[in-house]
Amino acid sequence: ANRQGKDLGAAIFERKRAYERFVEQCGLQRVWRKMHWRFYGADPESGFTDQEVGKDGQEGELHLLMMNHLRADLTLWLNLAFNQRTEMEPVASTDDYEAEMEVKRAKAALSHFNRAANIEGRERDAGEFAGVYGEGILMRWWNTRRGEVVAAPAAPTEGVIDQSPAMKTGALECFALTPMDVFKDPLTRSSETQWTICRIHRNRHD
């Protein structure tokens, strides 16, 4: 927790590699790869997909057609699981006028953040990952580097390289992650995990 700079980066990378070695040695990586190809209707060993008719037999006299039951069953389950919208309902602690107005403002704020972060779409993506890989992770966090500028950065100081950035309002971000993008201690239960590393793919220039 007290490491900084390159030492912190090296420690994070080492824990990431330890998790990757574990899932490879115990066979989870092979299972995830197989389920991935099955979900998208492809067989890397035979080269066939569910979008074409293949041939088999000694002289190619047999026709081979793959049926993607996994995707059909998972799509049906996703439609049943996410058919209704889940949302938080603010409740007033008192019955006066100001409390009612606070509830209305809270509803408007929640609706805005849900739309901006596309939480409903990310929840469905996490459900799809859970059906394919056995686990789907939904990560939500407040990004202080997004939003409108509320305070300009401090004037540059001569000789100082790292200047304070501009202060922004921030924005809610939501990500659906697969087990291959969430690194943790594989020998502890989820409630006992003391550290978790989440990998997010984004443009390096953002």
Side-chain angles (χ1 to χ4, degrees):
N2 297 326
R3 299 180 183 180
Q4 296 180 356
K6 293 183 178 180
D7 293 338
L8 177 60
I12 292 176
F13 186 77
E14 177 55 33
R15 292 193 173 186
K16 168 183 173 294
R17 289 293 302 131
Y19 177 79
E20 290 176 338
R21 287 193 296 267
F22 172 81
V23 298
E24 182 178 1
Q25 293 172 0
C26 71
L28 276 175
Q29 189 179 62
R30 180 179 58 82
V31 173
W32 291 339
R33 185 183 295 112
K34 182 177 181 180
M35 292 298 294
H36 174 85
W37 288 115
R38 286 292 184 267
F39 179 74
Y40 288 102
D43 187 357
E45 297 180 359
S46 63
F48 295 133
T49 69
D50 60 356
Q51 300 178 359
E52 60 182 355
V53 178
K55 291 185 178 181
D56 200 357
Q58 295 181 354
E59 299 181 357
E61 70 278 7
L62 303 177
H63 294 282
L64 183 63
L65 179 63
M66 291 184 59
M67 302 297 295
N68 194 346
H69 296 290
L70 175 62
R71 192 182 188 100
D73 293 342
L74 183 55
T75 301
L76 177 61
W77 176 80
L78 288 173
N79 292 334
L80 294 175
F82 296 95
N83 186 30
Q84 296 183 352
R85 178 181 179 183
T86 58
E87 61 180 8
M88 292 179 288
E89 183 70 20
V91 179
S93 58
T94 60
D95 56 356
D96 58 357
Y97 175 77
E98 184 62 27
E100 294 180 0
M101 293 304 298
E102 289 290 341
V103 168
K104 292 182 179 180
R105 285 191 285 266
K107 287 183 178 180
L110 288 172
S111 178
H112 167 73
F113 290 134
N114 286 337
R115 289 195 306 270
N118 191 19
I119 292 181
E120 291 184 21
R122 299 290 80 80
E123 287 179 346
R124 186 180 178 90
D125 292 341
E128 180 178 302
F129 293 155
V132 177
Y133 307 109
E135 183 181 8
I137 300 93
L138 189 69
M139 187 187 79
R140 288 178 285 191
W141 74 313
W142 188 263
N143 190 349
T144 58
R145 297 185 178 183
R146 292 185 55 190
E148 300 179 358
V149 178
V150 295
T157 304
E158 185 177 357
V160 179
I161 299 178
D162 189 10
Q163 300 289 339
S164 300
M167 183 180 297
K168 298 184 178 181
T169 56
L172 179 66
E173 291 185 342
C174 185
F175 301 93
L177 305 175
T178 69
M180 294 167 282
D181 295 319
V182 179
F183 310 98
K184 54 192 175 183
D185 188 352
L187 302 180
T188 60
R189 296 180 181 270
S190 59
S191 59
E192 300 173 353
T193 301
Q194 298 182 359
W195 57 269
T196 302
I197 303 172
C198 297
R199 177 173 57 189
I200 301 173
H201 301 275
R202 63 167 74 237
N203 191 331
R204 62 183 300 179
H205 300 291
D206 289 344

